[in-house]
Each structure stands twice: as structure tokens, then as C-alpha cells.
């Protein structure tokens, strides 16, 4: 917006002075009918115009004129990042439960087939394909030993993959992010969310998306800005929706203070 203001003044050949509201608010209507923030400064004629970006709300449109929309910004859900904790069951979670189930089924099937082949070998006439070997636990026929060989090789592959997954998990633990969208935020009950003062709730309520409507009705309160509430968000007190610029600034501040 600063770049827009510079270009605007260059074309009109005028200079400007930026005045910030003391409460650092965009401007909302107070219970007594007055406005705070930049909208209040505009109504009190302390400034000639206010530089957004502003959310269009019914209360603001009643007292101020807005230009046509010329800029769109992205908003993100900002919340505390989950912390990796010790999990004794992690050694089992290395494989998906379906993989463990298939391994168990294969072991059961191989055991039953080997027992059946050994039983048939002892009872069927003719031992022409028997092989002499001092190891008593191996089948005596060639087909049974081929099956054992295939199973041993398969077990070696499974064990190698398991070892690799365990090593990767210990080296770089995988942390599942429980809140990655508005839908995730509104479906959970663990973490409340707050909104910035300035009309975001009106924008959410006008949306046709059910999750956005729920976010605009079931919020637990307001915050002056994402930047002012960054410490509370980092502490996990609540989540919020922030514009891209504020989000990137908060992330830079977070990394700088690690």
C-alpha cells in the first residue's frame, strides 16, 4: 500500500504525511456509535483519507466511501506448531497398520502351506525330489525349499525397509499438523480461534462455504492484530486468520527468536 501511495502522490504531484491511530486499529463502530482506529480519524477529519487494505463492512460503508477493489491478499490459519513428543508405540507406527496386517497374513499363510507340504511329503509315495541336508527344519522336497527361500528373501526386504523407516523417523521425526485449513480448524474443539478487529467476520459470514460461516460465528473473541497477538498464538492460547504479509512477518520473528 505504501508503493500505491507513492505512485498516487507522484501522479498528483503532492506530498503526504502518515498519521497512525493511537489504538493501532483499522476502525470499527463502538457501542456509543463512534468509530475508533483509522475510520475514526477519517470521520473526525484528522486525515484526508485512510490507507488500507480494508475489509468492506456494512458499518464502514455507512460512514466512508471505498475505492473499487484493486488488490487481493491471501489469508492463512496461524496456530501453534505441534511439538514432537516421545511415543513408545513409534516402533509400531513405522509401518501402516495395513502393512502389518499383510505381513501377519503372509506369515500365517506361509506357515500353513509349509506344514501342509511337509505333511503331504511324508505320506505321498515316491521321494524322487528329496534333497539330502542336515538341517531338519527345512522341507525335504525342492518345491518346499523354494518357497522357504522366497519367504526368507521377502523377510529380508521387509526388515531392510523397516530399518530404513526407523532410522528416518529417529533422524527427522514426522510431525502431523492437525490444523491445515479452515475446515480442520472448525472441526476441532481443542483450540479456540479469534479474529482481527475490522470486518473479517462479516466477510466470512457472507461466504457460501459452511466452514467459513462457522468460523465467522463461533469465534471466541477479537484481537487488535495478528502481530500484537503473536506471543499468545505461539503459546497455543488460540488460533487466528492472518494475511500473508503478517504471517511472513510473524514467521520471521519466530525464527529470529529461536
Amino acid at each position: 500500500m505504501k508503493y500505491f501511495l507513492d505512485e498516487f502522490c507522484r501522479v498528483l504531484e503532492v506530498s503526504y504525511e502518515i498519521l497512525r491511530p493511537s489504538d493501532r486499529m483499522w476502525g470499527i463502530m463502538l457501542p456509543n456509535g463512534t468509530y475508533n482506529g483509522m475510520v475514526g480519524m477519517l470521520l473526525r477529519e484528522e486525515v484526508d483519507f485512510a490507507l488500507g487494505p480494508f475489509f468492506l463492512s456494512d458499518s464502514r460503508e455507512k460512514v466512508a466511501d471505498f475505492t473499487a477493489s484493486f488488490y487481493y491478499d491471501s489469508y492463512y490459519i496461524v496456530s501453534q506448531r505441534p511439538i514432537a513428543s516421545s511415543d513408545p508405540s513409534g516402533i509400531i507406527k513405522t509401518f501402516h497398520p495395513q502393512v502389518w496386517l499383510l505381513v501377519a497374513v503372509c506369515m500365517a499363510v506361509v506357515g500353513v502351506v509349509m506344514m501342509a507340504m511337509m505333511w503331504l511329503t511324508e505320506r505321498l509315495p515316491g521321494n524322487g525330489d528329496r534333497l539330502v541336508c542336515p538341517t531338519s527344519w527345512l522341507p525335504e522336497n525342492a518345491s518346499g525349499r523354494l518357497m522357504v527361500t522366497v519367504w526368507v528373501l521377502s523377510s529380508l526386504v521387509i526388515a531392510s525397509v523397516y530399518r530404513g523407516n526407523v532410522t528416518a523417523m529417529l533422524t527427522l521425526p514426522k510431525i502431523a499438523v492437525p490444523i491445515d485449513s479452515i475446515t480442520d480448524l472448525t472441526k476441532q474443539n481443542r483450540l479456540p480461534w479469534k479474529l482481527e478487529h475490522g470486518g473479517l467476520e462479516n466477510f466470512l459470514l457472507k461466504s457460501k462455504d459452511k466452514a467459513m460461516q462457522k468460523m465467522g460465528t463461533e469465534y471466541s473473541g477479537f484481537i487488535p492484530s495478528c502481530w500484537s497477538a503473536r506471543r499468545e498464538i505461539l503459546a497455543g492460547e488460540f488460533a487466528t486468520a492472518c494475511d500473508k504479509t503478517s504471517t511472513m512477518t510473524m514467521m520471521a520473528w519466530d525464527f529470529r527468536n529461536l
Side-chain angles (χ1 to χ4, degrees):
M1 298 304 297
K2 173 68 163 53
Y3 297 145
F4 166 77
L5 180 59
D6 288 338
E7 185 65 18
F8 181 78
C9 293
R10 185 189 66 81
V11 174
L12 296 180
E13 298 181 352
V14 296
S15 59
Y16 63 86
E17 178 186 1
I18 294 179
L19 301 178
R20 291 187 175 182
S22 58
D23 54 11
R24 300 297 179 93
M25 302 288 288
W26 297 102
I28 60 173
M29 186 172 66
L30 302 176
N32 59 5
T34 62
Y35 285 75
N36 63 2
M38 288 192 285
V39 177
M41 295 177 68
L42 186 66
L43 295 179
R44 293 189 297 270
E45 298 184 356
E46 297 174 6
V47 294
D48 296 312
F49 63 91
L51 194 65
F54 283 95
F55 272 108
L56 296 180
S57 63
D58 295 336
S59 60
R60 287 176 178 171
E61 287 185 311
K62 291 179 180 179
V63 296
D65 292 328
F66 289 84
T67 65
S69 299
F70 62 90
Y71 178 77
Y72 295 89
D73 200 359
S74 300
Y75 267 71
Y76 301 89
I77 300 298
V78 181
S79 62
Q80 181 191 44
R81 181 174 179 82
I83 302 173
S85 58
S86 58
D87 186 3
S89 63
I91 195 171
I92 300 176
K93 294 180 180 179
T94 306
F95 280 162
H96 192 274
Q98 186 177 2
V99 176
W100 285 117
L101 178 61
L102 292 176
V103 171
V105 170
C106 289
M107 291 180 62
V109 171
V110 170
V112 171
V113 172
M114 286 184 60
M115 292 178 61
M117 293 179 65
M118 294 175 66
W119 183 83
L120 290 175
T121 300
E122 294 177 357
R123 285 161 176 75
L124 291 179
N127 296 321
D129 62 344
R130 283 192 174 187
L131 301 176
V132 179
C133 182
T135 305
S136 59
W137 61 270
L138 286 174
E140 296 181 352
N141 57 336
S143 58
R145 296 195 175 195
L146 176 62
M147 184 175 184
V148 172
T149 302
V150 173
W151 172 247
V152 170
L153 292 176
S154 302
S155 301
L156 179 62
V157 172
I158 295 174
S160 300
V161 174
Y162 178 81
R163 182 179 61 183
N165 286 347
V166 170
T167 303
M169 182 180 64
L170 295 176
T171 304
L172 184 63
K174 182 179 180 181
I175 302 177
V177 180
I179 300 176
D180 196 34
S181 64
I182 292 180
T183 302
D184 295 337
L185 178 65
T186 54
K187 281 185 176 181
Q188 56 85 41
N189 298 317
R190 178 187 61 85
L191 186 67
W193 63 87
K194 295 184 179 182
L195 302 177
E196 282 187 304
H197 272 299
L200 180 57
E201 69 279 7
N202 296 325
F203 170 78
L204 294 171
L205 292 175
K206 291 179 181 179
S207 173
K208 296 181 180 180
D209 185 79
K210 298 297 183 181
M212 294 182 68
Q213 292 179 3
K214 184 176 181 180
M215 185 177 179
T217 55
E218 299 184 10
Y219 56 89
S220 60
F222 289 102
I223 56 176
S225 67
C226 291
W227 175 253
S228 64
R230 63 191 184 280
R231 299 183 186 277
E232 290 80 3
I233 297 172
L234 185 63
E237 296 182 12
F238 54 84
T240 188
C242 299
D243 60 275
K244 182 178 180 179
T245 303
S246 299
T247 303
M248 299 299 292
T249 306
M250 293 168 60
M251 291 175 62
W253 168 83
D254 188 17
F255 279 106
R256 187 169 62 248
N257 288 274
L258 287 177

